[in-house]
Amino acid sequence: MTQSSRNGADTKLLSEAIAALRELVSRTQHAIDESFDDDHSVDVWKSEELRATIDRAEAVIAKAEAAMAASRTE
């Protein structure tokens, strides 16, 4: 496999990972919002942990997108 095709494969894999993280973040936020809207009991610590995880995932998405953009300009 050439360096160029390897970079292309890495970029595709990274794009898929970003899409999966975005979907996970979206579904998790929706589930949290619904649980509060429907007055379901949600432990506060669970909610805080999920929100912290969402924040970390969003940070990873931003870093990955920046790295992909930088590699396209090189």
Side-chain angles (χ1 to χ4, degrees), residues 2-72:
T2 66
Q3 182 67 27
S4 178
S5 62
R6 179 70 183 156
N7 287 345
D10 289 347
T11 300
K12 183 178 179 187
L13 182 60
L14 187 56
S15 294
E16 290 178 26
I18 290 169
L21 275 173
R22 275 200 181 117
E23 183 176 353
L24 179 61
V25 166
S26 175
R27 289 177 185 261
T28 304
Q29 286 174 330
H30 182 70
I32 290 171
D33 291 345
E34 275 190 6
S35 66
F36 285 115
D37 290 345
D38 294 342
D39 292 329
H40 287 121
S41 176
V42 176
D43 291 334
V44 172
W45 70 267
K46 287 182 182 176
S47 174
E48 289 172 359
E49 283 185 359
L50 283 173
R51 290 195 192 280
T53 301
I54 290 168
D55 290 343
R56 282 196 320 269
E58 288 174 333
V60 168
I61 291 168
K63 286 179 188 178
E65 288 178 328
M68 286 175 51
S71 71
R72 279 187 230 125

